[in-house]
Amino acid sequence: MSRVDGPDFTGAPLREALAKTWSDAPGFWGWLTAVDHKRVGRRYIVTAFVFLGLGGVLALLMRTQLARPESGLISADRYNQIFSMHGSTMMFLFAVPVMEAMAVFIIPLMMGTRQIAFPRLNAFSYWIYLFGGMFLWIAFLLNIGPEAGWFSYVPLAGPEYSPGKRTDVWAQLITFTEVAALASAVELITTILKQRAPGMSLNRMPLFAWSILVTSFMVVFAMPAVMLASSFLISDRLVATQFYNPAEGGDALLWQHLFWFFGHPEVYIIFIPAVGFVSQITETFSEREVFGYPLMVLAVVSIGLLAFGLWVHHMFATGLPRIGYSFYTAASMMIALPGGVQIFCWIATIWSGRPRWETPLWWVVAFIITFVMGGLTGVMVASVPLDLQMHDTYFVVAHFHYVLIGGAVFPLLGAVTYWFPKFSGRLMAEPLGKWNVLFSFLAFHLTFFPMHITGLLGMPRRVYTYPHGLGWDTLNLVSSIGAFLFAGSVLLFLGNVFWSLRNGRVASANPWNAPSLEWKPSSPPPVYNFEHIPVVHSRSPLWETDQPVMPGLQTDKRELLVTTAIDAVPDLRDASPPPNGWPFFAAIATTMAFVGSIFTPWAVIWGALLMAIPLIFWFWPHDPLEPKPEQGDE
């Protein structure tokens, strides 16, 4: 008969029963078919950091080429591929996926549930992401990598100016990564809204959960725009449609509208999870709840909404009607206000708390300084007259990297340090971590601050060489030296990670005395996350002396507690599907369809038929909560 967790079934017998129920299959097949959100999340994170390394190598190649004028180290054609691959890798294969990967690992634990919603879809999204990244990089190694930039503007990316398959490869990469991102967004929205621990009403959710909820909704609304844009582009190239051809009634600016309607929200899709990282770290190491919690939530929601209303500030130089520019200038400046509110709330939290200056909090300080500088230059380029002078110069390159590295990567490295015990069961080396923060901070500014000046001196983006005597020589050399030092700081961080995996201090369940639920299980957590589902009565449940739990779920079936969306009142029990191989096979079939479609449109039809086979078996109806009769049962 089925058993449930409760007062008469607890301790070691309960843990053994739950481990047997929730564990993936052993061996290679178990690795291939795993659906445990922690295993999938770790794979996502590791893969994203591999792509970070590959994109970083390309950045060093570019900085080596630009270190001195009239360099002949890299040809113009290869340089075009390198900067296109660098941007595409960092934006589509690292920045967005790594934020969703962190959420895939952390959110179910933070919500107090045993598994993410739609775990097979979660596994499918990882395989699609991996195959899409491999497809792009194999094409690059075969000299058919993209060459029109990570934004792939038409008509440069159109059939007239970019023959061959290079731009087709880029367009299908977009399809791969956006399918993966949309799948992850749906899982995270459902987990946050319907699988929260009893009592965790919306006004008690951790700020990281709020940031992921807003980010996931942004993905749902933003990603279809770029998928539509890339689909139009590839159809123009392969079947002679004319969406972007003005000579046949198309419009080249349609590409920019569709792309930047996605592209500017994407910056905040990357940044808003970092806001959640900073909030959790600041709260824990200040030993008090974040100052102004309602303001912080409203700020995150405001950024998510405003991000969709200012895409035209990327198009100030395109000759659109001038009266519209004032609205987009106002929106571009307005979005700085909720960001400023968050900065002051974090400072107030540290100021009024009892800060413990450990490595994650040092990353927060590095983030605040760098992001404020990047935000100020963002307000500058929101001004139309100034933007017309600095558009497509290295000033914009500097601003972009200040916002994305200072605003996202620094918090990410702090978050990895903070949650490393949950990933591995060990703590990272503390003294080395603090030196790493200082080294990274100085090397970053040495790399990118001079680019503001080269941009003001007129150096355009995306040039593979430049002549003597324009005042750019020394500044480019300094930026190149800084780039190698910054790469060294990233290697130092990775060295700390690998050393700590084997030699780091063994972590307790909650080594930082953090307040949120992901720190309740052991480090690393068991496969079932929680022995009993926790019950929440405040925003900082682990700082409360009373930490009740809610028994009653089956232990021999993968069963989840579903709660109401607003107040997290227990609603019903639901089944979590066990692992099988169909998500992996569906990802292979999807990959074959996507890759084949850049050679023949018939691949879409045949690929759809091929994809139907694993999907039929994947969604074949069954009742996983129906207990199997045991011998002796009547």
Side-chain angles (χ1 to χ4, degrees):
M1 295 179 63
S2 298
R3 302 195 66 180
V4 297
D5 55 334
D8 59 340
F9 187 35
T10 187
L14 173 62
R15 290 191 291 271
E16 291 174 6
L18 289 173
K20 181 179 179 181
T21 299
W22 287 92
S23 293
D24 295 317
F28 176 74
W29 181 249
W31 177 86
L32 199 67
T33 61
V35 295
D36 179 12
H37 73 95
K38 298 179 291 299
R39 295 183 71 178
V40 175
R42 276 192 291 260
R43 291 177 189 175
Y44 249 124
I45 294 168
V46 171
T47 306
F49 271 91
V50 169
F51 286 125
L52 170 66
L54 293 172
V57 169
L58 297 181
L60 293 180
L61 289 174
M62 287 190 290
R63 289 314 319 170
T64 303
Q65 167 71 9
L66 296 173
R68 58 188 181 88
E70 300 179 359
S71 173
L73 179 66
I74 300 173
S75 68
D77 177 70
R78 198 59 174 170
Y79 188 87
N80 286 344
Q81 286 191 66
I82 288 173
F83 87 71
S84 302
M85 283 291 296
H86 168 73
S88 300
T89 298
M90 291 303 197
M91 296 300 289
F92 297 113
L93 297 178
F94 170 68
V96 174
V98 79
M99 295 304 182
E100 291 190 321
M102 295 289 287
V104 163
F105 187 100
I106 295 162
I107 284 297
L109 291 163
M110 188 175 277
M111 297 297 96
T113 186
R114 286 176 173 165
Q115 176 61 295
I116 197 170
F118 315 122
R120 292 178 184 171
L121 182 63
N122 189 37
F124 172 80
S125 73
Y126 169 74
W127 293 120
I128 285 290
Y129 160 64
L130 175 65
F131 295 156
M134 291 173 61
F135 167 60
L136 178 71
W137 272 86
I138 290 172
F140 173 66
L141 295 176
L142 296 175
N143 199 33
I144 51 174
E147 59 183 352
W150 75 273
F151 37 78
S152 205
Y153 277 176
V154 296
L156 177 63
E160 182 179 359
Y161 296 101
S162 293
K165 294 299 179 185
R166 289 179 172 182
T167 299
D168 299 331
V169 168
W170 181 89
Q172 283 302 66
L173 166 74
I174 300 301
T175 310
F176 274 104
T177 55
E178 307 322 324
V179 167
L182 285 167
S184 295
V186 169
E187 302 150 17
L188 292 167
I189 290 170
T190 308
T191 302
I192 292 171
L193 291 183
K194 295 300 294 178
Q195 291 183 205
R196 299 196 306 277
M200 188 184 286
S201 53
L202 290 179
N203 65 335
R204 293 174 181 168
M205 278 204 323
L207 287 171
F208 177 68
W210 271 110
S211 71
I212 294 300
L213 182 63
V214 171
T215 299
S216 299
F217 274 111
M218 291 179 71
V219 168
V220 169
F221 286 103
M223 296 300 184
V226 73
M227 292 181 70
L228 183 66
S230 63
S231 298
F232 284 173
L233 175 62
I234 202 168
S235 65
D236 274 8
R237 295 175 55 84
L238 298 180
V239 295
T241 56
Q242 307 294 333
F243 290 106
Y244 303 121
N245 184 3
E248 298 292 339
D251 189 353
L253 284 185
L254 173 63
W255 169 267
Q256 291 197 39
H257 281 292
L258 289 173
F259 183 84
W260 288 118
F261 185 80
F262 145 82
H264 200 84
E266 186 191 29
V267 173
Y268 293 98
I269 288 169
I270 297 166
F271 168 68
I272 290 177
V275 168
F277 297 154
V278 172
S279 297
Q280 297 304 130
I281 293 170
T282 302
E283 180 178 64
T284 295
F285 291 98
S286 298
E287 298 184 349
R288 60 148 294 169
E289 292 183 0
V290 172
F291 179 86
Y293 175 92
L295 289 176
M296 292 290 285
V297 173
L298 289 173
V300 169
V301 175
S302 298
I303 290 173
L305 293 174
L306 288 170
F308 285 92
L310 44 84
W311 77 92
V312 175
H313 84 204
H314 294 273
M315 303 170 62
F316 283 162
T318 59
L320 293 172
R322 291 290 188 254
I323 190 171
Y325 285 177
S326 59
F327 297 103
Y328 292 99
T329 293
S332 301
M333 294 183 176
M334 190 185 304
I335 203 167
L337 298 179
V341 167
Q342 292 170 325
I343 294 291
F344 283 113
C345 285
W346 290 321
I347 293 173
T349 303
I350 297 172
W351 190 278
S352 61
R354 298 185 298 274
R356 290 179 282 125
W357 292 102
E358 300 190 50
T359 300
L361 194 57
W362 280 111
W363 282 114
V364 168
V365 173
F367 150 77
I368 290 175
I369 296 171
T370 308
F371 182 73
V372 167
M373 296 175 67
L376 290 174
T377 57
V379 173
M380 292 170 65
V381 297
S383 171
V384 176
L386 194 61
D387 182 77
L388 290 174
Q389 298 300 315
M390 296 186 296
H391 188 77
D392 272 347
T393 70
Y394 261 78
F395 188 93
V396 178
V397 176
H399 159 71
F400 192 65
H401 286 83
Y402 263 77
V403 171
L404 287 184
I405 296 181
V409 175
F410 283 175
L412 173 66
L413 298 181
V416 171
T417 306
Y418 176 61
W419 278 298
F420 192 75
K422 287 299 162 191
F423 300 145
S424 68
R426 296 181 181 272
L427 291 159
M428 292 179 65
E430 185 65 22
L432 181 59
K434 291 177 179 176
W435 281 109
N436 193 187
V437 177
L438 179 61
F439 187 21
S440 300
F441 180 79
L442 295 176
F444 170 83
H445 287 277
L446 184 66
T447 304
F448 293 103
F449 188 81
M451 294 183 188
H452 293 99
I453 304 173
T454 54
L456 292 173
L457 292 175
M459 183 173 178
R461 304 168 67 178
R462 302 183 289 275
V463 292
Y464 84 104
T465 189
Y466 55 93
H468 287 286
L470 298 177
W472 307 343
D473 304 18
T474 302
L475 293 168
N476 273 301
L477 179 61
V478 170
S479 289
S480 295
I481 293 171
F484 279 90
L485 292 175
F486 188 65
S489 72
V490 175
L491 290 176
L492 184 62
F493 182 86
L494 295 176
N496 193 352
V497 167
F498 288 118
W499 183 89
S500 301
L501 285 172
R502 297 180 61 88
N503 305 297
R505 181 160 56 90
V506 175
S508 61
N510 190 2
W512 308 121
N513 188 31
S516 46
L517 287 179
E518 77 271 21
W519 297 99
K520 187 177 180 66
S522 61
S523 298
V527 291
Y528 48 84
N529 291 351
F530 298 91
E531 294 180 32
H532 303 284
I533 302 302
V535 176
V536 172
H537 294 307
S538 72
R539 293 179 191 144
S540 49
L542 296 194
W543 285 348
E544 303 292 328
T545 54
D546 182 25
Q547 298 179 16
V549 296
M550 185 175 189
L553 295 182
Q554 294 186 49
T555 60
D556 56 352
K557 306 294 176 187
R558 294 185 174 223
E559 190 173 57
L560 300 172
L561 179 66
V562 177
T563 54
T564 57
I566 305 298
D567 295 321
V569 176
D571 191 14
L572 52 89
R573 299 181 304 166
D574 194 21
S576 180
N580 63 35
W582 297 118
F584 175 74
F585 295 124
I588 292 178
T590 305
T591 300
M592 294 172 66
F594 287 171
V595 174
S597 66
I598 72 173
F599 298 99
T600 171
W602 284 102
V604 176
I605 298 173
W606 293 112
L609 295 175
L610 184 63
M611 290 161 56
I613 298 171
L615 290 177
I616 288 171
F617 287 99
W618 182 351
F619 294 111
W620 195 263
H622 65 286
D623 185 5
L625 286 185
E626 182 68 29
K628 296 179 180 179
E630 299 179 6
Q631 189 173 5
D633 286 354
E634 296 182 0

